[in-house]
Amino acid sequence: MSCVVFPHVSWSQFPYRKIMLDLRARQPIFYVTDTLPEWELLPNIVKPVTAEAVALECRRPALAIVTHPYWIEKAASLHPERLLALIPDNTFEEYSELWKSRLAHCVLIADLFGSESESLYLEQAFKKEAVLLLRDADHLPSEGQRESMQGSSAEFEVLLRQAVSKLLTDNVSPVWATALQQHTLVQHYSEIRKAVGPHETASFLLAVYEYLLKLPDAASHLLESFLHAQQSGREDCIRTHYRFLSAIHAQNDELREAIDAYGVTALSADDRLRYERICEYAENGRADLAAAWLLRENDDLVGALARLHGAYDSEATDLKYRWLVESSRWEEALALSGAAGISGKAEKRGHPGIRDERLLNGYARKLRGDRHEAIRFFLEAAELDQDAIGLIARIKSEDAAIARLRRNMLETGESEGLTVVNGDDG
Amino acid sequence: MGTVSLLTHSFLDGYNRDYGRIFGGGLERYIADLCEVIRELGEQPEVHQLSYFEPFETQWNGISVFGYPYDFNDVPEAFAKMAERASGRLIYASCIWHPIRYREGSLGICHGINWDSSLYPLKVKAGVAGAIQNALDQLSGIVSVDSHFQTYCRSACRFERPNQITVIPNSVDTAAFVPKPITDRGPRPLRVLYPRRLSIERGIVPMMRVTDLLLDRYSENIEIEFAGELVRGSSIGDSFEVWLDAHPGRKSISHRTYDFETIREAYGNADIAVIPTVFSEGTSYACLEAMSCGLPIVATNVGGLNDLIIDGHNGLLVPPATNAIYQAIESLIGDEALRERLGNNARRTALAFDKQLWKARWKRVLADYLG
Amino acid sequence: MLTEMMGSRSATDLKAGSESSEAAVARATIRRVRRRSGNKLTAMLQVRNERGKYLTQVLEQLSGFVDELVIVDDASEDDTVALCRKFPKVARLVELPRPLFGEEWKLRSLLWQVASTTEPDWLLSVDADELYEDRAISAMRPLIDQDQYDWVSFRFHDFWNGLTHYRDDEHWNIHRRQTMTLVRYLPGFPCLYPQWDHHVPRLPLAYAALPGRLTDFRVKHLGWAGDWESKLAKYHRYKALDPEGKWGSLAQYESILDLNPKLTEWTEAT
């Protein structure tokens, strides 16, 4: 059984070397690279392989690891048993549109998603249950004193190793590690709060982690973060801070308070419409829809979908379908549309339903790296809607992005004095 | 010797700024052939065309060609400018769907209806009807390459002289495009040929889909050749390249660009020709050439293709839908006798579209027009 | 591109999902946090020993345009309470046994709490020596019957030595700024006051985070309109409460005793 790494840098710069080498049971480790380092730089169990040759060298690896979002489809195309996405800070073309869309795919299909950036980590924590922060808690609010916690810098590595190990050997989902780490983060921010007092960022993050863990003090910490933000002159703190109170209340089944809190923040035209709809749902006895919307408005997709679990009426399924599509959860959307016959409801003329279904299938296949299958579905969609051709054309720019990544790896590798060999083995 | 000026949106390769050659499309070829006819009548042809880039003035084959830059959103204005400068009698050789201000009593050409996509908005179609009416009101006559346009005018417009529209279908040099003798074909997989530019209207999407289905079914026992230009960097161009690159059956798919002369090779190597036009088709040169080469044709019932193919006689005529096209090809794959019969009839049909006949028809029209 | 097609999915028949007791509570009409009509305007005042001053005039004026009055009496030693009781729009009148004057934040907080119990829509914070100009009064209803902003501010003018002029100089220029006194009551919204003993803001700080409307409508503050003795008494009171200038400006306190303050004549707006 083997392991493949799709990295963003050369082996000598790879930040997770230690973890890789500790997975001793998973030999060999194929490292996708165009550079061939001097032999003494590469341990015996690590074998370099080009992107073109990797599918031949290891079919269906036990584990694939991706440290740059651009690699996700390639990694998925090997159909690994387990997939990890571990995304460091400052990767190549970070936060470009393509980077972001690929990152979303990583989150969707990885068994565990990790990020060095806490804000990115938190964003995904609301979309996925198995997430890890790839750093120890060593940063403070900007106004506070910076304090580095060097001594415990291996904590997350230990956790990551254990989570991966349990996943591979016992099939245990890493959500336990997520919760464990989040408890540590609660403790961390509590200590900061003790040191600096109620704070717009520290108290806010504390509230968020308490929310994720369903701990009771989330509301009070959120309110104090809002008050501090407001006193510090943060414009829009109503939306950036106060609004989250509506999610906390919704999570606690305090629907009236949740609606009121959201209503206060509903200042834009779109928000007002949404608020009105939420009120109507509540008034019509659809607390589930009202709560789901409130959670969704706070980007808690996992929570929102959970609220709709078990509701099979057309309103709930339409909403679930829409959110699944908006968040690129194609496979779930397909399963739902098949079960609920959603696509069949579309008007005959123009066949948006059939086109949608073809597109969903195409996206779902693409997510799993089945490029040819995806293209076939997009072609079927293109017969109904010419614009779908663009989805196929776009793949070229995605391939070009991988080529740029590889060149970047070569260039940074060259600056390290690594020997470059011809990478076009394919 | 008088001058006859042809006004058109394209002749020499203005897309790639290569003013030494004519662009490899049907319209451009048509204009070159028409210039030859005009010369044979003892007149001097001139071509005035639109230019994407700078203005130009050059000679091609002894014909003066003038290029005019223009505003994409005001084609009528561009044609008006060309008409001002052009000498002699005018032939408006393209863009009949635009509301052009014609010099009264001139001649126009319609190369086929290009607004027959079922997905175009009604507003667009109504606008075109107005432009065609405008053309009929101002031009003394319109030469149409197919019956499709003639029928359209009769049903959507009003005009007094029934012969204001003359149908002169496109032609093929039946001496140059001849069937390949059967003995020349060695044992090899059956080859299906798509002899067209790779574009949406010419049916590249259903053709790619049909290819997927054919390779699913026949895998290595079939080959599919795409013989046409691809616009690199365009959406369809990139899509085709991506599709081909990712295709597990790519060994059985080829793409090649031919010119007017070498395209004969492609017909010679093929067993079936597919013309899967989705919309916008006059009298397809590719179809005529394939027919002249004695190939069995699978064509869609779009535009002027209906003037060329009679289903079951000289080809198979199907709606522009992937499954219908696929099933037609499948029926030919399994039936060599059918292929031969259709191919032979196709060749005979092509003789009725020989280039000499086309020239003779045009000479009659021009003789009337030039007095 | 798929999501572009999603916009116009229409709601079909609403079938009740399984309903919890919490859902049953929500089933009652949800009072919208912002309403464009039918808003109840409640004035809230803290009063203390107002005999002989302006309270009657103020309450008369308020009675003409607010719907309810909420008053907290800070342990008055005169007949201020009886005076308040004469006005039928007084919905709550709380009499404190011991004064909170030296801990102003507690007084303000209490006033807000009491006002909250009346389920107000809008609260107007008024001191016992403030009168709104006619223009402001006429505009009150349109100002509150809307759903775009949640507070309104006015220009306060410190009348000096009488009812014809207001003071306008380096230490007395509140009329050049905006003072937020009218606010939409939002249930559940934080209503903390800073724990200051003096010069506490009228309204909970957090409300400033909401959208508001600045106006040029004027309010007459008559606290300094009285005679020299009353000013002197106030001066001593401020100096006792805030000897180090923690809550206000020492220079301003001193300027109370200016013999020739710069005054501007007040003209009524038409």
Side-chain angles (χ1 to χ4, degrees):
Chain A
M1 291 208 277
S2 55
C3 167
V4 185
V5 177
F6 290 86
H8 61 296
V9 288
S10 62
W11 174 259
S12 59
Q13 301 161 309
F14 189 63
Y16 311 119
R17 290 198 306 276
K18 205 153 161 297
I19 297 169
M20 295 313 310
L21 295 172
D22 282 344
L23 295 173
R24 289 187 196 289
R26 306 297 153 203
Q27 298 180 19
I29 298 170
F30 288 95
Y31 194 81
V32 176
T33 178
D34 294 320
T35 67
L36 187 63
E38 298 297 325
W39 281 108
E40 59 262 36
L41 288 179
L42 212 59
N44 282 340
I45 60 161
V46 178
K47 298 191 180 328
V49 66
T50 63
E52 286 75 18
V54 69
L56 298 166
E57 295 278 1
C58 44
R59 297 170 196 278
R60 307 195 78 92
L63 177 65
I65 297 176
V66 159
T67 63
H68 194 287
Y70 286 177
W71 285 123
I72 190 64
E73 275 183 30
K74 186 77 186 169
S77 72
L78 302 182
H79 297 111
E81 285 174 47
R82 296 293 181 188
L83 178 70
L84 309 184
L86 307 175
I87 310 296
D89 273 341
N90 301 318
T91 51
F92 182 64
E93 293 184 358
E94 197 175 53
Y95 297 113
S96 65
E97 283 311 308
L98 182 63
W99 190 96
K100 286 191 285 193
S101 101
R102 286 290 158 272
L103 187 90
H105 287 185
C106 289
V107 173
L108 280 171
I109 66 174
D111 293 290
L112 174 65
F113 174 83
S115 169
E116 272 183 22
S117 151
E118 189 179 14
S119 57
L120 194 63
Y121 159 81
L122 270 175
E123 224 181 273
Q124 312 316 324
F126 281 82
K127 296 177 186 160
K128 185 183 189 64
E129 286 169 329
V131 290
L132 271 188
L133 180 60
L134 300 178
R135 68 163 75 236
D136 286 335
D138 63 352
H139 56 272
L140 291 169
S142 55
E143 288 86 355
Q145 294 153 357
R146 295 223 158 251
E147 184 189 326
S148 84
M149 292 166 62
Q150 291 295 337
S152 54
S153 62
E155 271 177 29
F156 83 86
E157 286 180 352
V158 171
L159 201 54
L160 177 61
R161 205 161 37 245
Q162 286 176 353
V164 173
S165 198
K166 280 199 211 291
L167 179 66
L168 291 176
T169 52
D170 303 324
N171 266 338
V172 172
S173 160
V175 295
W176 64 271
T178 305
L180 193 60
Q181 190 180 51
Q182 284 173 357
H183 276 289
T184 311
L185 288 160
V186 164
Q187 210 171 333
H188 168 72
Y189 283 106
S190 297
E191 279 162 25
I192 292 178
R193 185 182 167 274
K194 266 199 209 113
V196 305
H199 191 277
E200 58 177 311
T201 308
S203 300
F204 184 81
L205 290 170
L206 179 56
V208 169
Y209 288 117
E210 285 171 329
Y211 173 85
L212 287 168
L213 291 167
K214 299 185 173 47
L215 294 175
D217 293 328
S220 62
H221 291 138
L222 188 278
L223 279 169
E224 74 183 31
S225 82
F226 162 66
L227 287 169
H228 189 253
Q230 189 258 322
Q231 280 150 35
S232 308
R234 302 277 167 249
E235 293 189 15
D236 209 26
C237 56
I238 279 285
R239 204 182 47 82
T240 59
H241 287 67
Y242 190 76
R243 177 171 284 187
F244 191 57
L245 185 65
S246 62
I248 297 172
H249 281 309
Q251 189 191 60
N252 295 335
D253 288 327
E254 293 154 354
L255 188 61
R256 183 65 68 94
E257 290 85 342
I259 294 176
D260 282 346
Y262 181 78
V264 166
T265 73
L267 298 170
S268 72
D270 283 345
D271 286 350
R272 285 168 194 270
L273 284 172
R274 233 163 268 128
Y275 167 65
E276 195 49 46
R277 187 189 301 185
I278 290 169
C279 290
E280 284 168 7
Y281 280 141
E283 286 167 346
N284 288 314
R286 294 308 302 268
D288 56 343
L289 296 178
W293 262 110
L294 288 165
L295 293 171
R296 182 81 178 102
E297 283 299 294
N298 283 284
D299 297 326
D300 184 0
L301 180 68
V302 171
L305 289 171
R307 283 295 165 136
L308 297 178
H309 185 66
Y312 299 107
D313 60 286
S314 57
E315 181 106 37
T317 43
D318 275 359
L319 199 54
K320 238 187 293 193
Y321 179 76
R322 173 179 164 164
W323 288 345
L324 289 171
V325 168
E326 281 173 8
S327 55
S328 307
R329 289 159 89 128
W330 314 119
E331 292 164 332
E332 291 171 77
L334 267 173
L336 183 64
S337 85
I342 286 174
S343 60
K345 284 188 197 167
E347 292 172 32
K348 261 197 161 160
R349 191 178 59 178
H351 304 285
I354 299 169
R355 185 203 75 149
D356 284 4
E357 192 244 329
R358 297 292 186 271
L359 288 175
L360 281 181
N361 268 294
Y363 292 135
R365 294 295 193 281
K366 193 154 176 293
L367 196 60
R368 296 289 170 185
D370 295 331
R371 183 177 282 197
H372 174 66
E373 292 303 317
I375 291 171
R376 287 185 78 146
F377 279 111
F378 290 149
L379 281 175
E380 286 183 52
E383 284 200 291
L384 300 166
D385 178 354
Q386 202 169 308
D387 289 343
I389 273 291
L391 297 172
I392 306 173
R394 206 178 290 173
I395 291 172
K396 199 171 182 194
S397 63
E398 293 162 11
D399 287 347
I402 294 179
R404 290 196 301 275
L405 171 64
R406 292 167 75 173
R407 267 198 305 279
N408 181 257
M409 285 170 64
L410 271 176
E411 281 159 18
T412 50
E414 274 173 1
S415 67
E416 293 267 312
L418 299 174
T419 309
V420 176
V421 291
N422 183 4
D424 289 327
D425 297 346
Chain B
M1 191 196 314
T3 309
V4 179
S5 287
L6 279 69
L7 310 189
T8 175
H9 70 276
S10 172
F11 183 53
L12 300 182
D13 189 354
Y15 302 108
N16 296 306
R17 266 169 152 155
D18 186 354
Y19 306 130
R21 64 179 276 267
I22 66 171
F23 187 69
L27 166 73
E28 294 79 6
R29 194 200 309 187
Y30 190 104
I31 291 175
D33 289 344
L34 187 54
C35 287
E36 205 182 300
V37 171
I38 291 168
R39 270 218 277 245
E40 284 175 15
L41 283 177
E43 305 287 324
Q44 177 58 41
E46 250 179 36
V47 177
H48 299 256
Q49 69 167 97
L50 302 184
S51 171
Y52 278 119
F53 302 102
E54 61 280 316
F56 63 87
E57 192 179 321
T58 186
Q59 289 276 319
W60 181 84
N61 252 19
I63 301 167
S64 298
V65 183
F66 304 86
Y68 301 71
Y70 69 110
D71 171 7
F72 296 152
N73 295 318
D74 199 351
V75 166
E77 178 56 33
F79 270 77
K81 271 212 193 74
M82 292 197 291
E84 262 172 61
R85 194 157 154 211
S87 10
R89 301 302 300 277
L90 298 187
I91 300 180
Y92 290 83
S94 70
C95 295
I96 199 164
W97 61 92
H98 280 282
I100 292 174
R101 296 183 294 284
Y102 297 96
R103 193 193 290 174
E104 286 267 348
S106 302
L107 195 61
I109 304 175
C110 178
H111 299 276
I113 292 182
N114 61 14
W115 56 94
D116 59 342
S117 165
S118 57
L119 301 174
Y120 277 1
L122 290 172
K123 196 172 156 191
V124 165
K125 295 186 176 185
V128 172
I132 303 300
Q133 181 67 61
N134 165 68
L136 286 163
D137 290 341
Q138 295 175 55
L139 297 170
S140 65
I142 301 176
V143 168
S144 171
V145 305
D146 60 25
S147 64
H148 198 207
F149 176 73
Q150 185 180 64
T151 306
Y152 172 84
C153 290
R154 288 175 181 153
S155 44
C157 303
R158 205 172 179 289
F159 53 100
E160 291 188 352
R161 289 181 294 114
N163 59 355
Q164 192 175 357
I165 300 154
T166 310
V167 178
I168 304 181
N170 287 339
S171 65
V172 58
D173 184 348
T174 55
F177 289 89
V178 291
K180 189 167 185 173
I182 292 173
T183 49
D184 283 357
R185 290 178 193 167
R188 54 161 177 74
L190 211 70
R191 178 172 289 203
V192 175
L193 175 69
Y194 170 90
R196 329 255 2 239
R197 195 183 308 170
L198 277 61
S199 70
I200 295 278
E201 57 270 27
R202 283 170 181 75
I204 187 59
V205 171
M207 194 63 210
M208 287 156 76
R209 287 207 57 214
V210 162
T211 302
D212 288 339
L213 294 170
L214 287 171
L215 290 174
D216 281 348
R217 174 95 200 261
Y218 299 102
S219 61
E220 285 159 4
N221 300 316
I222 199 159
E223 283 173 355
I224 296 100
E225 180 175 20
F226 290 82
E229 279 185 39
L230 186 85
V231 180
R232 291 234 125 72
S234 70
S235 194
I236 196 68
D238 285 347
S239 300
F240 182 81
E241 284 173 359
V242 165
W243 168 80
L244 184 57
D245 195 57
H247 210 293
R250 60 190 285 199
K251 281 203 307 255
S252 302
I253 307 170
S254 58
H255 170 231
R256 214 182 125 177
T257 320
Y258 298 85
D259 60 29
F260 291 151
E261 305 300 315
T262 55
I263 189 70
R264 272 167 272 197
E265 260 175 62
Y267 296 123
N269 291 328
D271 299 288
I272 298 166
V274 184
I275 316 285
T277 308
V278 176
F279 67 97
S280 180
E281 185 75 84
T283 320
S284 162
Y285 280 117
C287 189
L288 281 169
E289 288 162 3
M291 290 167 75
S292 186
C293 290
L295 283 177
I297 314 283
V298 171
T300 50
N301 56 9
V302 171
L305 291 171
N306 293 298
D307 290 346
L308 304 179
I309 306 293
I310 297 173
D311 187 39
H313 172 68
N314 58 0
L316 297 179
L317 198 63
V318 294
T322 295
N323 286 338
I325 299 166
Y326 170 73
Q327 275 158 25
I329 297 172
E330 226 194 357
S331 68
L332 290 178
I333 289 171
D335 193 340
E336 192 177 345
L338 178 62
R339 293 202 303 272
E340 202 176 316
R341 180 170 69 76
L342 296 178
N344 290 340
N345 289 341
R347 169 68 187 176
R348 277 190 219 108
T349 309
L351 296 173
F353 293 86
D354 184 75
K355 195 162 179 189
Q356 299 309 316
L357 295 171
W358 178 84
K359 281 186 167 185
R361 289 176 183 133
W362 253 112
K363 281 178 181 169
R364 280 200 289 279
V365 166
L366 284 172
D368 266 343
Y369 177 53
L370 301 173
Chain C
M1 62 167 299
L2 177 59
T3 56
E4 288 161 16
M5 292 290 290
M6 302 304 301
S8 52
R9 280 185 182 270
S10 57
T12 50
D13 52 304
L14 275 176
K15 294 188 186 123
S18 61
E19 192 173 319
S20 63
S21 58
E22 190 260 351
V25 167
R27 192 188 259 284
T29 308
I30 304 273
R31 190 161 175 70
R32 304 301 191 261
V33 297
R34 294 180 180 91
R35 290 167 296 285
R36 285 206 286 246
S37 63
N39 285 284
K40 182 169 78 166
L41 176 59
T42 302
M44 56 181 187
L45 300 92
Q46 57 200 46
V47 298
R48 176 173 163 78
N49 295 340
E50 305 296 341
R51 162 154 286 284
K53 297 181 193 169
Y54 307 100
L55 182 59
T56 303
Q57 211 179 336
V58 168
L59 290 178
E60 270 170 7
Q61 188 194 60
L62 289 172
S63 297
F65 68 92
V66 307
D67 300 304
E68 283 184 0
L69 293 157
V70 167
I71 302 175
V72 169
D73 177 81
D74 190 27
S76 291
E77 289 141 347
D78 60 10
D79 61 351
T80 297
V81 168
L83 198 159
C84 294
R85 285 200 199 290
K86 289 189 189 150
F87 291 86
K89 284 194 177 176
V90 172
R92 293 273 193 286
L93 173 53
V94 170
E95 301 171 48
L96 294 178
R98 277 175 307 284
L100 288 174
F101 187 74
E103 295 168 285
E104 198 183 336
W105 68 276
K106 285 188 184 172
L107 194 50
R108 290 275 180 213
S109 299
L110 177 62
L111 183 56
W112 181 273
Q113 294 308 319
V114 173
S116 306
T117 63
T118 65
E119 292 184 352
D121 295 322
W122 282 82
L123 287 169
L124 181 68
S125 169
V126 188
D127 279 352
D129 52 9
E130 289 167 359
L131 289 172
Y132 282 72
E133 68 170 336
D134 291 342
R135 266 190 328 166
I137 293 170
S138 308
M140 275 300 163
R141 206 41 65 175
L143 281 171
I144 67 173
D145 279 343
Q146 47 73 33
D147 60 0
Q148 298 299 307
Y149 48 85
D150 298 326
W151 53 260
V152 183
S153 59
F154 303 90
R155 293 194 190 276
F156 278 58
H157 293 68
D158 288 313
F159 275 68
W160 208 265
N161 294 344
L163 302 176
T164 59
H165 289 68
Y166 59 90
R167 189 158 174 182
D168 178 11
D169 61 27
E170 181 198 344
H171 296 297
W172 299 87
N173 49 34
I174 194 174
H175 52 280
R176 294 191 191 281
R177 302 191 296 277
Q178 294 271 342
T179 305
M180 193 164 98
T181 57
L182 177 60
V183 75
R184 188 195 305 273
Y185 178 73
L186 296 166
F189 197 70
C191 50
L192 296 174
Y193 284 88
Q195 292 184 11
W196 302 344
D197 295 333
H198 193 41
H199 284 156
V200 172
R202 301 291 185 104
L203 301 168
L205 286 176
Y207 276 81
L210 296 159
R213 165 112 182 241
L214 309 176
T215 73
D216 286 326
F217 295 132
R218 302 173 300 175
V219 180
K220 299 177 191 176
H221 174 229
L222 306 177
W224 303 104
D227 56 17
W228 175 257
E229 275 76 25
S230 67
K231 287 197 192 44
L232 192 60
K234 269 189 147 164
Y235 169 80
H236 285 306
R237 209 161 48 241
Y238 286 179
K239 292 289 283 191
L241 263 173
D242 187 24
E244 276 141 53
K246 193 171 161 202
W247 312 112
S249 152
L250 284 175
Q252 194 208 23
Y253 296 158
E254 294 307 316
S255 71
I256 292 169
L257 303 177
D258 281 354
L259 292 173
N260 284 307
K262 182 169 170 300
L263 303 178
T264 303
E265 192 181 354
W266 172 275
T267 44
E268 287 297 335
T270 44

